[in-house]
Amino acid sequence: MSFAVTRTSRSFIAPCEATPRNSLGLSVIDRVPALRHMVRSLHVFTHGREPARVIREALSKALVKYYPFAGRFVDDPDGSGEVRVVCNGEGAWFVEAKTDCSLEDVKYLESPLMIPEDELLPKSSLDVPLMMQVTEFGGGGFVVGLIFAHTIADGLGAAQLINAVADIARGLPKPTVEPVWSREFITNPPKLPLGGPPVFPSFKLLYATIDLSAEHINHVKSRHLELTGQGCSTFDVAISRLWLSRTRAIDLDPGVDVHVCFAANTRHLLRQVLPPQGGYYGNCIYPMTASASSGRVASADLIDVISIIRDAKARLPDEFAKWAAGDFKDDPYEFTLTYNLLLVTDWTRLGFLDVDYGWGKPLHVIPFAWLDMMAIGIIGAPPAPQKGTRVTTHCVEKEHMQAFLEEMKGFA
């Protein structure tokens, strides 16, 4: 069956009050080439009364505080090649849409989607930092299609903004968290000599979703504690299982190194420079990489792979401090994108699952952070009230997909 989505309104939503008209510089992390892309996601809610109107009005109010999201990206006029945000109040792009079907008719957008994601997401433009589409379904449910520019905010920052919109939609006079720009507080270490332009490959990666039961996660945690005397997190278990399964599936030469890289939040390491009240929404992440030979990872027990991941996490404070001091040979933010590199991000702690526009939190959040130039896995949650962990991947090509799925499902 096909279900038609009709877009009924398209407009720029400007801040409802006057906001500063200025030009804002981005931090050295914001300007990382690998972050120059749009992050897309769908947020599924089962109830709502005139949600498009309510969210549109709340967005206009929230943009008074978060006015850079209503601006535009421009090249710095000094010829440096750096990008800045011109705060001109032009607004965020907002689309209203309707469909006659109910969320139940489309299985609450469980995978595989019965409505293509492009029908539920606004058409994107790279110079607009924020875009939203609210699609109202028959029976009262609605879906928020969100697109934001990674250059202006990391996942925590984007979720902070959307929660601010939700605060106002619920009737609060202002957002619970006061936003902070403060990009100048982010360390700007000495620059390395310019190399050649970054090379972005193009893979033919396929999409897959795998659920890990809470029972399995807890079993692995207990086994890890028993064998090592140390606890481990759900993230540790999920990322290790994903890396191990993918390494076995792509079956590289045993002597070839494989890498898994995850974006670690560094706000806690910058407490001395960031405002103490919080609210910083720029990119505040550091890429932590774990590496080992393909043969070592493929032959390892899951507990051993968890130890490799935990060792990498433990290095974060020292590595970040060295980077901030300029004590590095190679810029850690400028890694080479190859098929033996897996990027992983954790969406469970960003705050998107806490968004409440007045009718309850989302049933589930569906990420689409897919780019053909990088193999990626996203750690998330299955639709409520299910328990456990959902691993959404875009990380193997067709020839490796069957082996990958069998490995992911083959753990006891």
Side-chain angles (χ1 to χ4, degrees):
M1 295 181 64
S2 62
F3 301 94
V5 173
T6 302
R7 293 181 172 95
T8 59
S9 173
R10 301 172 177 85
S11 61
F12 286 109
I13 304 300
C16 67
E17 300 176 13
T19 56
R21 294 295 194 264
N22 54 10
S23 173
L24 297 173
L26 296 163
S27 77
V28 64
I29 303 176
D30 293 332
R31 299 195 302 267
V32 168
L35 298 181
R36 294 173 190 167
H37 64 271
M38 310 300 285
V39 181
R40 307 179 303 153
S41 56
L42 299 177
H43 307 246
V44 182
F45 296 82
T46 56
H47 303 285
R49 186 173 181 179
E50 296 187 279
R53 178 189 63 79
V54 170
I55 294 173
R56 182 184 69 246
E57 294 175 359
L59 174 61
S60 182
K61 295 176 182 177
L63 287 174
V64 174
K65 293 286 188 178
Y66 288 87
Y67 62 90
F69 279 101
R72 297 293 181 267
F73 293 116
V74 298
D75 291 330
D76 197 319
D78 67 4
S80 66
E82 304 290 4
V83 172
R84 298 180 66 84
V85 179
V86 172
C87 301
N88 53 19
E90 289 187 10
W93 184 239
F94 192 84
V95 178
E96 299 179 36
K98 292 183 179 294
T99 181
D100 291 335
C101 68
S102 68
L103 282 172
E104 185 178 10
D105 291 334
V106 294
K107 300 181 180 179
Y108 297 95
L109 296 182
E110 267 284 39
S111 181
L113 294 177
M114 296 177 69
I115 299 178
E117 66 265 27
D118 287 344
E119 293 294 307
L120 300 169
L121 288 161
K123 300 296 184 183
S124 63
S125 173
L126 288 178
D127 69 339
V128 180
L130 178 67
M131 289 157 276
M132 296 178 72
Q133 176 173 317
V134 178
T135 304
E136 299 182 6
F137 282 70
F142 68 99
V143 172
V144 176
L146 174 67
I147 300 178
F148 71 91
H150 210 322
T151 298
I152 202 170
D154 58 13
L156 282 165
Q160 180 181 308
L161 164 66
I162 300 306
N163 273 287
V165 176
D167 287 343
I168 294 172
R170 292 197 312 275
L172 297 182
K174 62 179 182 178
T176 302
V177 177
E178 186 74 16
V180 174
W181 181 262
S182 298
R183 307 300 160 108
E184 69 278 6
F185 291 156
I186 296 296
T187 302
N188 193 5
K191 290 185 178 181
L192 293 174
L194 289 176
V199 176
F200 296 127
S202 180
F203 303 114
K204 296 179 180 179
L205 303 169
L206 301 181
Y207 170 91
T209 299
I210 305 100
D211 287 340
L212 309 180
S213 69
E215 291 78 13
H216 169 71
I217 296 288
N218 290 332
H219 170 73
V220 175
K221 287 181 178 180
S222 297
R223 186 162 167 256
H224 184 271
L225 180 62
E226 178 184 349
L227 293 176
T228 68
Q230 298 179 332
C232 68
S233 68
T234 296
F235 175 79
D236 296 337
V237 175
I239 187 177
S240 299
R241 181 165 164 177
L242 174 58
W243 190 33
L244 174 55
S245 297
R246 183 179 186 272
T247 300
R248 289 176 175 173
I250 63 177
D251 194 26
L252 299 176
D253 183 282
V256 173
D257 281 347
V258 289
H259 317 277
V260 60
C261 179
F262 50 94
N265 177 27
T266 57
R267 285 166 174 79
H268 64 292
L269 301 176
L270 292 170
R271 287 182 182 139
Q272 292 183 337
V273 295
L274 290 178
Q277 72 272 20
Y280 183 79
Y281 59 91
N283 286 282
C284 203
I285 52 179
Y286 184 86
M288 287 304 306
T289 301
S291 301
S293 69
S294 173
R296 178 187 174 190
V297 176
S299 62
D301 181 88
L302 181 59
I303 302 302
D304 296 327
V305 179
I306 291 174
S307 295
I308 297 175
I309 297 298
R310 287 178 55 79
D311 287 345
K313 290 170 66 176
R315 297 197 309 268
L316 173 63
D318 287 343
E319 287 199 16
F320 185 70
K322 287 183 177 180
W323 170 79
D327 182 14
F328 56 87
K329 281 186 178 180
D330 300 311
D331 189 338
Y333 291 92
E334 295 185 6
F335 40 78
T336 302
L337 296 170
T338 53
Y339 196 54
N340 59 338
L341 170 67
L342 172 66
L343 299 169
V344 181
T345 182
D346 184 359
W347 279 50
T348 62
R349 300 182 183 182
L350 299 181
F352 288 125
L353 293 170
D354 299 320
V355 173
D356 182 354
Y357 296 104
W359 308 287
K361 296 179 181 180
L363 178 71
H364 63 136
V365 174
I366 307 167
F368 295 102
W370 311 137
L371 296 169
D372 288 336
M373 64 184 182
M374 60 179 70
I376 191 167
I378 298 176
I379 311 302
Q386 297 179 49
K387 304 297 183 182
T389 299
R390 171 159 291 184
V391 182
T392 307
T393 67
H394 191 242
C395 71
V396 295
E397 297 186 320
K398 183 177 181 180
E399 63 182 301
H400 303 127
M401 177 57 80
Q402 190 59 41
F404 171 67
L405 293 176
E406 289 174 0
E407 288 288 347
M408 284 295 290
K409 295 174 181 176
F411 286 87

